[in-house]
Amino acid sequence: MRTGDSALNAARRATDLSRLGDGAEIDVLVIGGGVTGAGAALDAAARGLRTVLVERHDLAFGTSRWSSKLVHGGLRYLASGRVGIAHESAVERGMLLRTTAPHLVRPLPQLVPLLPNVGTTQAALVRAGFLAGDLLRRGAGTPAALLPRSRRVAAAEAVRLAPTVRRAGLRGGLQAWDGQLVDDARLVVALARTAAAHGARVLTRVEAREVTGQSATLRDTRTGETLTVRPRTVVNATGVWADQVDPSIRLRPSRGTHLVFSAESFGGLSAALTVPVPGSIGRFVFAFPAAHGRVYLGLTDEDAPGPVPDEPEPTGSEIDFLLDTINPALREPLTRSDIRGSYAGLRPLLQTADDSTADISRQHAVLRSPTGVVTIVGGKLTTYRKMAEDVIDAAVTHGGLAAGPCRTRRLPLAGAVSGAARDRIDAPPVLIERYGSEAADVLAAARRDPALAEPVAPGMDVLGAEFAFAVSHEGALEAGDLLDRRTRIGLVAEDRAAAAAAAARAFA
C-alpha cells in the first residue's frame, strides 16, 4: 500500500489479511484498537517498523469511546502532588490542540458557579487550583491565545455560559479553560488511518489467540478463518482486557458513568458546568456540550469487580449520584425522564501482590510478561501519545528492532488543519469539526449523489455522505460501526432506531 493512503475499508482489509496469510514479515503486532493501540501502531509505523494492528471488534469499541471526551491539562493531579503527571498531561494537551489533532480538539471554558453551597474556603481552593492550571499551561508552552487564563466572572456571564444555572444566591463564577474532543472515537479512527498511511495493516474483526512474545493465532471473526503470525515483538494494548492476553497481570477495573441529555435541557450550555461533589475536596461532576445537540453529564468512579463486559452498564445508584450532585446548581432539577441515554466505561486498576489496588488509570505502566509480551496499561486518553511512545520504545528494546526515534510529537493526524487553511475549507462548520481538511471530500460525495446530502434521519445533523465516507475511508464494516462509533447517534436509543435504515443502506 503506497505511502499516504489512509483509507480503511473492506477491500484493504481483505488485501492485508491475504498478505499476512502469505507470510508477510511483522516487526510489531499490536493487539487492541483503542486509543492506546492505535497510537502505538502509528508510533511503530512512523518509525519504519512493519506493523500490524488487530482488534477483535471495531476501532474504539472499548473504553476509548466511553470517555468524557475531554483533553485534560492535568490540574486534578496537582492536588495529590503528582506534578510530573500533571505536566505531562498539559504538554500532551498542547500537542493535540496545536499539532496532532487541531481539527478534533477545541478549547472549552469550564465554569464553577459560586452558589451558596460553595463556601469561601472552597471557592478559594478552586481559584488556587485554576491558577496552578495557568502555570501548567505556561510550563507546557501553550499560549494564552489558545487557552485563556482563568478568571472570575460576574453572575451575568455565568448565566450566559450556563443558562440553566440557579440564579438565587449566585455570586458569579470561576472560569478556566481545557480541551474538548469533538469525539473520542473519531480520534481513534484518525490515529488508525494515519498509521495506515504509514504502512500499518489495521485489521478489525480479527481476534488474537494463543499470544506469546513472538507468535499469535489470528482469527477473522467474520469468516472464522485463522492464520498464525510470528512477529518479532507483540504489544498488548487491550486496556481492561489486558489480563486476558497476559495472564500474569491482575486487573480490577473501576467504572465511570455519564448521562446523555438533549441540549435543550441545559438551555444552550456553552461551557463545562462544573459542580463540586459535597464533602469532597477536588472532586466534581460536570455537564458539557457534545455532538449531535446533546449534553453529557459525568463522572462517577465506582469499583467494578467481576467479568469485564463488552459494553458496561451504568447502575441506578450512579445515575442518582449524578442527578443529585448537579441539581442543586440548576434552576429546574433534572429527572430521570430528562435522560435520553447513558454510557459507562471501565478504567484499569492494577491489583498488586498484597491484594491492594494501585490506581494507574492516570499513570501508565509498561510491563513485560514471562512469555515476552509487552503490555501497556493505565494512563488516560490525553496522554495516549506518550503511552504509545513508551510502549514502542520498550518493544524496540525487547525485540532488538532497528528503528528510529519517536516521530509522533510533530506528526499531524489524518484531517489535521487549523488557522487560515481551516477557514478556507468549503464545507459546513459541523463537517469541518468532524473531518478537518477532509470535510470537502465528504461533501463531494453528496454532490455526486444528492441522496447523500440528506440527513440519515429527520432532524439529525449527520449526512448520508458521512456514512458513505465511514465505509470507504474509516474502516466501518457494519451498521453498528456507523451508529455507535463513527458517529455517536447510538447513544440515544430513539435516534439509533431512526438512523438504522440509513446505516444498512450504506452497505448495500
Side-chain angles (χ1 to χ4, degrees), residues 11 118 124 137 307 361 371 379 391 471:
V118 179
R137 175 191 55 76
S361 63
T371 67
V391 76
V471 173

Side-chain angles (χ1 to χ4, degrees), residues 216-363:
T217 297
L218 304 183
R219 176 179 174 269
D220 182 346
T221 65
R222 307 191 89 197
T223 66
E225 296 180 0
T226 63
L227 61 95
T228 299
V229 293
R230 302 194 181 282
R232 295 179 65 184
T233 188
V234 174
V235 169
N236 173 18
T238 55
V240 290
W241 295 278
D243 54 355
Q244 296 180 15
V245 177
D246 177 4
S248 68
I249 296 173
R250 300 173 65 198
L251 294 176
R252 187 196 303 176
S254 71
R255 185 174 52 252
T257 286
H258 293 80
L259 306 180
V260 182
F261 297 86
S262 295
E264 289 79 6
S265 294
F266 284 84
L269 184 68
S270 58
L273 177 59
T274 306
V275 178
V277 174
S280 172
I281 296 178
R283 188 180 176 196
F284 303 85
V285 302
F286 39 85
F288 48 94
H292 311 310
R294 297 170 182 168
V295 167
Y296 298 152
L297 170 65
L299 179 67
T300 66
D301 189 358
E302 300 292 334
D303 192 33
V308 176
D310 282 344
E311 298 196 13
E313 294 287 339
T315 65
S317 62
E318 290 173 310
I319 293 172
D320 290 339
F321 165 78
L322 292 172
L323 291 175
D324 291 345
T325 304
I326 196 72
N327 276 336
L330 304 178
R331 278 185 299 157
E332 296 291 336
L334 297 167
T335 68
R336 283 181 175 247
S337 64
D338 296 307
I339 300 171
R340 299 202 66 207
S342 61
Y343 64 89
L346 298 178
R347 313 177 186 92
L349 295 168
L350 188 65
Q351 189 163 309
T352 58
D354 61 0
D355 207 35
S356 64
T357 57
D359 183 354
I360 58 168
S361 63
R362 299 298 178 263
Q363 183 172 13

Side-chain angles (χ1 to χ4, degrees), residues 32 81 104 115 252 319 432 471 478:
L104 297 178
L115 290 162
R252 187 196 303 176
I319 293 172
I432 297 172
V471 173
E478 298 177 2

